[in-house]
Amino acid sequence: MMRSLYVKFAAVTIGIMVLSGVIAFFVSNTYYQHSLKPQNDEKNTSIALEMAAFIENNPEITITDYLTNMADVGYQLYLVDNNGQEQFFGAEFRENNLTDTEIQKVLDGEIFHGMVHFPRQTFVTGFFANELKNSIGVPITYQDETYALFIRPDIKLLFNEMHLLFGVLFALTIILSILFVLLSTIYLVKPISRLSNATKQLAKGNFQVKTLETKRKDELGELSTSFSQMAEQIEKNDRLRKEFVSNISHDIQSPLSNIKGYTNLLSDKETSEEEKNQYTSIINEEISRLSIMTEQLLLLSSLDRDQQIVKKKRINISSQLKNLLMSYQWLIQEKEIMLSYTLPELEIDADPSLLNTVWDNLLSNALKYNHPGGGIDIQLTYTEEQCSISFIDTGIGISDEETKRIFDRFYRADASRTRSVKGTGLGLSIVATIVELHGGTVSVQANEDNIGTIFTVKLPL
Ligand code: ADP
């Protein structure tokens, strides 16, 4: 993966560089052809005219001396007279390709603009073309004789160092940028290939993918951070799933072995009638616990599976709570619990049967984990946005440590304190799931002076 991404990225970048180079060349060539070439022609024309004027105004000088001198300063010159007598000064032209008509026109008094008319196909390089055609021609009258003088700057003499300088600059720019592209691509691609490796590790079930660069401030750093968080979440889910399975197995196993033990005792001939009755009721209790647990597990799994399970209706929660309290009346009396409540009329949109499960669990817990003669208070309050239902008991209470875990599946607090109370540890996780599905929250806190517990459910209105 690293290989191909690296090659692709480097190739694309270098390709872009080449393409930009080509485009830049065409654009600057257009600029040269339209703007610089005429300027160059104009400049050289005025130089040629000045040379001609100087010669014409100073007939006493020797024309060959003057032109030799000009050649030394940096010009290539070609002088021809009416009789076809020709002379060259300075560096040689690569091609002497002037036509006779072109020469004749200059002798007849015209100016020859070879530079501006030099063919376009040659691009900017036309500037460097060392050809006689690529020159400026002016007529001269010297000692009553007519001449045609063709000049062009000796590029090699004048610009050789510049030429080299630009060549080196150009070559170095290309080499260095390719080098830096190759290097920076490594830097860019590396975290991606690390992520790819981490993904493979994760797929194999190895969650310890801490080697990722999460210090980077860019998108890749963000991606790495999200990836690490995802890995942590997956690890947590995996751990919970394993715990869940082992908890289920244990919680099914223990009532089953109890049942097995007591059925063995039942078939023992020496067991008295009274003992048999006692064992039967224990067996019945274990069976009903198993049955409650399977029901709760089924409910949890359907809550997990789809959110569609929540069928909301307009319901009056104060009457719903009062009905529930009625059905618990005999249990409350049996435990000699003092019950009080403040339940103003309130209608909300919720799933009646799921919400009833919530109240049922909270109320049965407040009863189960209470002392004989203790108290339970239920408070319903509401504002514009939300309603809040609290179950306040004066029971055995919950330690800070435990409050963090009681909503976990199968979690049951300190066995020594709750030993006498049978339970599955699933009730509160069902409560939390249902409340969450309704967009609400459930929280727990110690009742004042550490006597008992307060569970508060908040639902949006
Ligand atoms: P279960 O009651 O079946 O054990 P729950 O999920 O309903 O399972 O409760 C989890 C644990 O939270 C209980 O085992 C108990 O230790 C603790 N708990 C729940 N409600 C109360 C309460 N009102 N007072 C004290 N402890 C509680």
Side-chain angles (χ1 to χ4, degrees):
M1 185 261 180
M2 158 99 184
R3 257 289 108 68
S4 67
L5 187 63
Y6 177 79
V7 171
K8 262 186 213 157
F9 194 87
V12 166
T13 314
I14 292 170
I16 288 173
M17 277 160 52
V18 170
L19 187 69
S20 327
V22 171
I23 293 173
F25 180 75
F26 275 101
V27 170
S28 50
N29 183 58
T30 311
Y31 176 55
Y32 169 76
Q33 297 291 351
H34 278 100
S35 199
L36 294 184
K37 200 159 90 164
Q39 272 177 35
N40 190 40
D41 183 287
E42 211 177 293
K43 192 173 77 185
N44 283 290
T45 304
S46 76
I47 291 171
L49 287 173
E50 262 174 53
M51 285 187 193
F54 185 81
I55 293 169
E56 283 175 11
N57 295 337
N58 301 282
E60 72 284 359
I61 60 157
T62 323
I63 190 165
T64 45
D65 280 354
Y66 176 70
L67 293 181
T68 309
N69 198 285
M70 283 298 113
D72 290 344
V73 176
Y75 284 90
Q76 291 168 273
L77 306 129
Y78 170 60
L79 186 71
V80 60
D81 66 14
N82 255 326
N83 310 321
Q85 195 83 48
E86 42 180 31
Q87 270 178 291
F88 287 95
F89 304 88
E92 255 181 67
F93 290 97
R94 198 164 47 77
E95 266 185 80
N96 296 333
N97 45 5
L98 272 179
T99 58
D100 286 344
T101 27
E102 281 164 339
I103 295 173
Q104 193 52 53
K105 275 186 181 168
V106 177
L107 286 169
D108 291 347
E110 267 182 44
I111 294 176
F112 173 69
H113 289 284
M115 286 185 176
V116 81
H117 294 126
F118 201 71
R120 266 163 193 254
Q121 299 89 292
T122 51
F123 295 122
V124 183
T125 47
F127 177 76
F128 301 103
N130 179 18
E131 298 176 21
L132 195 45
K133 227 185 171 60
N134 194 13
S135 68
I136 299 293
V138 289
I140 301 178
T141 317
Y142 170 69
Q143 295 175 354
D144 298 331
E145 180 75 57
T146 308
Y147 295 88
L149 174 66
F150 294 86
I151 73 155
R152 66 173 268 103
D154 186 344
I155 303 291
K156 195 152 187 252
L157 183 74
L158 293 175
F159 299 121
N160 201 25
E161 291 75 19
M162 286 275 270
H163 232 142
L164 277 176
L165 193 70
F166 280 118
V168 170
L169 188 76
F170 194 62
L172 269 182
T173 308
I174 290 179
I175 293 170
L176 286 179
S177 25
I178 290 179
L179 214 72
F180 285 136
V181 164
L182 294 179
L183 284 176
S184 66
T185 308
I186 292 182
Y187 173 77
L188 262 173
V189 169
K190 212 174 187 180
I192 299 180
S193 67
R194 279 217 197 114
L195 262 174
S196 152
N197 282 337
T199 320
K200 281 182 202 133
Q201 292 290 317
L202 199 65
K204 277 187 206 143
N206 173 17
F207 302 109
Q208 249 52 50
V209 281
K210 299 279 181 301
T211 46
L212 292 175
E213 259 184 272
T214 45
K215 277 181 241 82
R216 287 171 71 123
K217 286 279 176 290
D218 56 9
E219 285 82 351
L220 281 176
E222 219 170 86
L223 186 62
S224 301
T225 312
S226 315
F227 189 88
S228 301
Q229 283 166 353
M230 185 186 77
E232 261 169 46
Q233 192 57 42
I234 293 178
E235 184 184 16
K236 194 180 155 203
N237 286 349
D238 188 65
R239 202 181 55 235
L240 284 178
R241 186 180 54 85
K242 285 179 182 148
E243 262 176 35
F244 190 65
V245 172
S246 94
N247 280 335
I248 292 187
S249 319
H250 174 262
D251 280 52
I252 290 179
Q253 194 52 46
S254 68
L256 283 179
S257 53
N258 276 350
I259 291 171
K260 189 160 189 277
Y262 286 111
T263 42
N264 281 344
L265 285 174
L266 276 183
S267 53
D268 194 330
K269 289 194 185 68
E270 275 158 41
T271 313
S272 70
E273 201 59 30
E274 196 188 328
E275 283 170 323
K276 277 185 182 170
N277 283 339
Q278 195 198 338
Y279 298 158
T280 318
S281 85
I282 295 176
I283 290 172
N284 266 327
E285 228 171 74
E286 293 290 16
I287 288 174
S288 68
R289 202 173 122 205
L290 273 176
S291 153
I292 289 173
M293 193 163 80
T294 32
E295 263 170 40
Q296 286 180 321
L297 279 172
L298 277 173
L299 178 58
L300 264 179
S301 99
S302 57
L303 288 174
D304 282 348
R305 213 166 340 108
D306 66 326
Q307 329 273 315
Q308 312 302 320
I309 194 167
V310 182
K311 300 264 184 295
K312 285 192 182 172
K313 262 205 244 165
R314 196 93 192 136
I315 53 163
N316 184 326
I317 49 172
S318 41
S319 14
Q320 188 180 43
L321 280 160
K322 281 174 195 157
N323 285 339
L324 185 73
L325 289 175
M326 295 244 267
S327 66
Y328 270 91
Q329 210 157 21
W330 66 273
L331 247 177
I332 292 171
Q333 271 164 15
E334 196 184 55
K335 276 198 106 178
E336 294 172 345
I337 299 286
M338 293 271 294
L339 176 71
S340 59
Y341 53 82
T342 316
L343 295 172
E345 294 287 309
L346 177 66
E347 289 200 334
I348 67 167
D349 290 320
D351 184 309
S353 117
L354 289 179
L355 214 53
N356 203 52
T357 311
V358 170
W359 314 138
D360 195 332
N361 274 301
L362 293 177
L363 183 61
S364 68
N365 278 349
L367 269 171
K368 275 198 294 188
Y369 303 106
N370 219 323
H371 305 294
I376 298 177
D377 186 24
I378 301 172
Q379 299 273 354
L380 167 61
T381 56
Y382 57 89
T383 63
E384 291 271 289
E385 294 100 41
Q386 65 171 14
C387 66
S388 155
I389 302 99
S390 297
F391 289 76
I392 306 155
D393 69 52
T394 58
I396 59 170
I398 287 180
S399 73
D400 279 352
E401 204 46 48
E402 290 162 355
T403 55
K404 286 186 201 124
R405 298 206 55 200
I406 53 168
F407 294 106
D408 288 354
R409 293 180 183 184
F410 286 109
Y411 179 78
R412 308 203 63 215
D414 187 2
S416 62
R417 284 197 299 145
T418 54
R419 192 172 23 205
S420 54
V421 193
K422 299 273 183 200
T424 58
L426 289 171
L428 284 179
S429 59
I430 291 175
V431 168
T433 314
I434 293 175
V435 172
E436 251 167 55
L437 284 176
H438 280 82
T441 56
V442 56
S443 60
V444 58
Q445 69 191 95
N447 199 350
E448 271 163 48
D449 306 325
N450 268 344
I451 318 167
T453 321
I454 305 175
F455 282 90
T456 306
V457 174
K458 289 193 169 131
L459 295 170
L461 289 182

